[in-house]
């Protein structure tokens, strides 16, 4: 992958666990990431906020302040000690009273079924600040020791919203035509590359995804336009989320609709979403992708590459422990247990429930997203 020699094609994707109390990465992440490295494997850290107005969900880690950068250092060091290649996913997920967007229109229902305040369309003169936040975050990620950054341009967050014609209703140079809608994303790519070098930059996109109603009427044209535009920069990789799969009896079929985009993009291609051992091998054998993401499987099976080799049994992921609140993370630190272990998490959740009924951990309004008008 670019300048990096990977020992296998399995990727740990960004998986936000919401355990970074007060947006500071915590020591428990050392164990979490170290468990999931196999010699020179590729790991991407969870979505990480680039500024105080870009935290999105509560208890996501950030990469803006000195304290956050210092807190990442031992985590990155632990990954490097086991020869992992580690990128940080830098993400602008708006939070606050009026989340910023490229539209004033919200969605119903909002994130998690909630009724959030409507977003506010960004003014043209505010864009350079966001681009600069992403640039500084990239610089900080390198300072923290990361090998590179992944720009989060997927899943209905700010950058993805700008690219999609069913969301973006801006009338200036950042809205309207496909070129204009992609301008924001490409300005960020360029600024980040100028700061840390193209070989250290990847981007995650999801043209076919419609999470939180971030839809485009021509996802293939969007994917192809971005592939050609990104070719000029020579970035380390392009990471793309598959459209929802057609579920057959027990397996997901590859839809093959990313093929034209894969062929157009000249660099390393990462496919994500619904892969297992069989269709992952097939996708690589058929040159549909270079690297394959395993998200939920890696959560439940930290030693996934070792299990895949002999086709050993897999544990199933437990949805109830995917996101763990600050209090649980805090308790896990204090009492030194791994909250991913279901039994411990259940015990602690019961403990936490007693406390949270009296004192909510966070105000849900701070989630911030495009929302109901
Ligand atoms: C608990 C959890 C947290 C996630 N957090 C992020 C994130 O921070 N950034 C992101 O781009 N995608 C995130 N995703 C999406 C995953 O990176 C991945 O695309 C998804 O799990 C699909 O892959 P899979 O079918 O192999 O699980 C998250 C998914 C899960 C299950």
């Amino acid at each position: 992958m670019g300048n990096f020699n990977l020992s296998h094609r399995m990727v740990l994707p960004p998986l936000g666990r919401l355990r970074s109390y007060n947006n500071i990465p915590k020591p428990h992440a050392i164990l979490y990431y170290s468990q999931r490295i196999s010699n020179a494997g590729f790991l991407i850290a969870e979505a990480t906020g680039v500024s105080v107005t870009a935290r999105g969900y509560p208890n996501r880690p950030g990469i803006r302040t000195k304290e956050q950068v210092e807190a990442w250092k031992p985590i990155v060091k632990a990954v490097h000690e086991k020869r992992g290649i580690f990128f940080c996913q830098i993400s602008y997920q708006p939070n606050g009273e009026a989340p910023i967007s490229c539209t004033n229109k919200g969605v119903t229902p909002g994130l998690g079924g909630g009724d959030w305040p409507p977003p506010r369309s960004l003014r043209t003169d505010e864009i350079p600040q966001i681009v600069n936040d992403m640039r500084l975050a990239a610089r900080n990620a390198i300072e923290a020791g990361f090998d590179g950054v992944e720009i989060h341009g997927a899943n209905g967050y700010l950058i993805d919203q700008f690219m999609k014609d069913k969301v973006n209703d801006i009338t200036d140079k950042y809205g309207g035509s496909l070129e204009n809608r992609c301008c924001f994303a490409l300005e960020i790519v360029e600024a980040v590359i100028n700061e840390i070098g193209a070989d250290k930059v990847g981007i995650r996109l999801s043209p076919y995804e419609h999470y939180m109603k971030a839809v485009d009427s021509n996802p293939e044209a969007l994917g192809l336009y971005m592939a050609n535009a990104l070719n000029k920069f020579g970035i380390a990789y392009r990471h793309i989320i598959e459209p929802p799969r057609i579920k057959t009896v027990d397996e997901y079929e590859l839809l093959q609709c990313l093929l034209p985009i894969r062929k157009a993009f000249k660099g390393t291609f990462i496919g994500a979403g619904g892969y297992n051992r069989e269709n992952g091998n097939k996708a690589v054998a058929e040159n549909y992708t270079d690297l394959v993401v395993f998200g939920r499987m890696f959560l439940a099976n930290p030693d996934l590459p070792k299990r895949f080799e002999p086709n050993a049994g897999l544990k199933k992921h437990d949805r109830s422990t995917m996101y763990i609140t600050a209090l649980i993370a805090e308790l896990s630190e204090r009492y030194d247990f791994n909250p991913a272990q279901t039994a411990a998490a259940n015990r602690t959740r019961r403990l936490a429930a007693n406390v949270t009924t009296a004192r909510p951990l966070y105000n849900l309004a701070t989630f911030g997203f495009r929302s109901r008008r």
Side-chain angles (χ1 to χ4, degrees), residues 83-161:
R83 296 197 54 236
I85 312 292
F86 201 17
F87 273 41
C88 179
Q89 188 186 55
I90 52 172
S91 165
Y92 205 105
Q93 297 177 0
N95 67 284
E97 291 295 303
I100 52 167
S101 181
C102 47
T103 180
N104 295 324
K105 292 193 210 80
V107 291
T108 309
L111 186 67
D115 188 11
W116 313 111
R120 169 179 77 76
S121 200
L122 271 174
R123 295 188 315 269
T124 312
D125 66 320
E126 293 174 296
I127 301 255
Q129 178 62 53
I130 313 262
V131 175
N132 198 43
D133 283 341
M134 297 293 279
R135 180 184 69 79
L136 289 175
R139 180 201 285 181
N140 287 347
I142 299 301
E143 158 73 23
F146 282 102
D147 298 294
V149 298
E150 174 175 285
I151 296 167
H152 192 346
N155 291 349
Y157 297 117
L158 188 65
I159 299 172
D160 190 38
Q161 291 173 28

Side-chain angles (χ1 to χ4, degrees), residues 11-17 45-48 57 60 89 91 93 150 152-155 157 204 209 239 241-242 252 272-276 293-299 317 319 321-323:
V11 178
L12 174 79
L15 295 162
R17 312 299 304 279
E46 63 218 84
T48 299
Y57 301 90
R60 301 208 95 133
Q89 188 186 55
S91 165
Q93 297 177 0
E150 174 175 285
H152 192 346
N155 291 349
Y157 297 117
R204 187 173 223 207
E209 263 281 341
H239 185 175
I241 297 176
E242 297 272 348
Y252 287 93
Y275 279 101
N276 57 32
V293 150
F294 298 93
R296 288 158 298 173
M297 276 189 194
F298 242 130
L299 276 188
H317 64 269
R319 186 161 284 278
T321 60
M322 279 180 178
Y323 306 102

Side-chain angles (χ1 to χ4, degrees), residues 319-339:
R319 186 161 284 278
S320 70
T321 60
M322 279 180 178
Y323 306 102
I324 296 193
T325 64
L327 182 58
I328 292 178
E330 234 190 327
L331 289 170
S332 74
E333 300 256 310
R334 203 176 305 158
Y335 298 111
D336 192 23
F337 68 88
N338 177 0

Side-chain angles (χ1 to χ4, degrees), residues 208-210 241-247 252-253 255 257 273:
Y208 284 91
E209 263 281 341
H210 35 72
I241 297 176
E242 297 272 348
R245 298 279 164 82
I246 296 168
K247 196 153 196 279
Y252 287 93
E253 298 284 343
L255 289 180
C257 64

